[in-house]
Amino acid sequence: MAMLQVNDIHSYYGNIHALKGISLTVEQGEIVTLIGANGAGKTTTLKTISGQLHPRHGTITLEGERIDGLPPHEIVTRGIGQSPEGRKIFGALTVYENLEMGAYARTDKPGIARDLDFVFTLFPRLKERAKQLGGTLSGGEQQMLAMGRAMMTHPRVLMLDEPSMGLAPVLVEAIFETIQKLNQEGTTILLIEQNAAKALQVARRGYVIETGQIVLQDSAEKLRQSERVRKAYLGEE
């Protein structure tokens, strides 16, 4: 049984048919990436999984239990955590308060404390800036905070939406090293990333989405070798 199963999802923005039969699976312990151009439907896919957008057709299951149709807060408690595109941290709250917000639906105080320690171990910079307002952090630090806040939900599946967007190359390397470390610690990850080369380096499998449809799916290694992927997403001739 797949950890996350998306089957024949059709999602709309009003009358605009944004997702046209999307299907994908994420097995426990995998990093799976969804790559595509701007406007292809990557973020819409995550919004549909997280309940921000309800599909008109199709099913979404988490370890065999349907979650499509549930409100977003309940999907979080079922085990879907998300670091959104653009980070969307709470700028007027401190780093510590942002992390607390990630655990807002939890009551297991010992577990929350363990996850907070884990986040601070993963991102020592956040521990150093625990009392600093989120809005005063650098872009890289805000990305760390967005990922840390998502980890505070104690997710069974962590969805990362464009984690390297707008970051300097050295910070991009650091973020992808962190993604690999999270996975090595047992976190299952669905990664959406404009930087297809980096995404396919860390992922086990990948899907390519174009105009709301999956057009390719394979192991990350085979996708890196695909002429179509190399020309369209890896900048190779």
Side-chain angles (χ1 to χ4, degrees):
M1 180 189 302
M3 174 65 80
L4 177 66
Q5 178 80 53
V6 177
N7 184 47
D8 195 24
I9 287 297
H10 292 256
S11 294
Y12 291 75
Y13 292 109
N15 293 322
I16 299 173
H17 195 176
L19 299 183
K20 305 166 186 175
I22 294 289
S23 296
L24 59 85
T25 61
V26 183
E27 302 289 347
Q28 184 171 1
E30 282 192 311
I31 300 177
V32 172
T33 188
L34 179 63
I35 61 176
N38 286 333
K42 303 187 301 296
T43 295
T44 302
T45 299
L46 293 199
K47 284 184 174 181
T48 304
I49 294 170
S50 65
Q52 298 172 64
L53 193 64
H54 293 302
R56 294 189 191 176
H57 179 79
T59 60
I60 304 170
T61 59
L62 183 66
E63 289 192 302
E65 296 185 2
R66 285 188 65 172
I67 60 172
D68 53 279
L70 296 178
H73 70 274
E74 191 168 336
I75 291 175
V76 171
T77 62
R78 294 289 182 95
I80 298 287
Q82 182 172 354
S83 175
E85 181 182 10
R87 298 147 199 160
K88 295 183 173 62
I89 63 161
F90 300 105
L93 300 183
T94 66
V95 167
Y96 182 78
E97 289 167 338
N98 268 274
L99 295 174
E100 280 189 316
M101 289 299 293
Y104 81 98
R106 298 174 61 182
T107 57
D108 56 321
K109 290 185 178 180
I112 292 171
R114 283 194 300 271
D115 286 341
L116 184 62
D117 285 342
F118 176 68
V119 169
F120 281 153
T121 299
L122 196 64
F123 300 115
R125 190 78 60 86
L126 296 184
K127 187 172 185 179
E128 295 170 6
R129 287 160 169 69
K131 296 181 180 180
Q132 188 171 325
L133 294 181
T136 66
L137 299 177
S138 69
E141 290 165 347
Q142 289 188 11
Q143 184 59 57
M144 295 173 193
L145 183 55
M147 291 172 66
R149 183 181 59 188
M151 288 303 298
M152 290 301 296
T153 69
H154 199 69
R156 286 191 274 173
V157 178
L158 175 63
M159 301 196 302
L160 302 175
D161 194 351
E162 304 285 8
S164 77
M165 180 182 289
L167 300 183
V170 65
L171 292 176
V172 171
E173 291 294 332
I175 288 296
F176 276 95
E177 286 174 9
T178 300
I179 291 170
Q180 288 179 294
K181 186 172 182 180
L182 278 171
N183 182 245
Q184 290 163 1
E185 293 285 343
T187 303
T188 302
I189 296 172
L190 175 57
L191 171 65
I192 291 201
E193 179 54 57
Q194 196 75 18
N195 188 335
K198 296 298 296 183
L200 291 172
Q201 282 178 15
V202 302
R204 178 181 175 187
R205 295 186 299 111
Y207 295 82
V208 178
I209 184 171
E210 294 179 0
T211 60
Q213 296 177 299
I214 300 295
V215 295
L216 284 175
Q217 57 179 296
D218 214 322
S219 68
E221 182 179 356
K222 288 185 177 178
L223 287 176
R224 286 198 303 268
Q225 296 169 355
S226 161
E227 183 177 357
R228 182 174 181 176
V229 171
R230 292 204 319 268
K231 287 183 176 180
Y233 304 106
L234 302 182
E236 299 179 13
E237 294 299 331

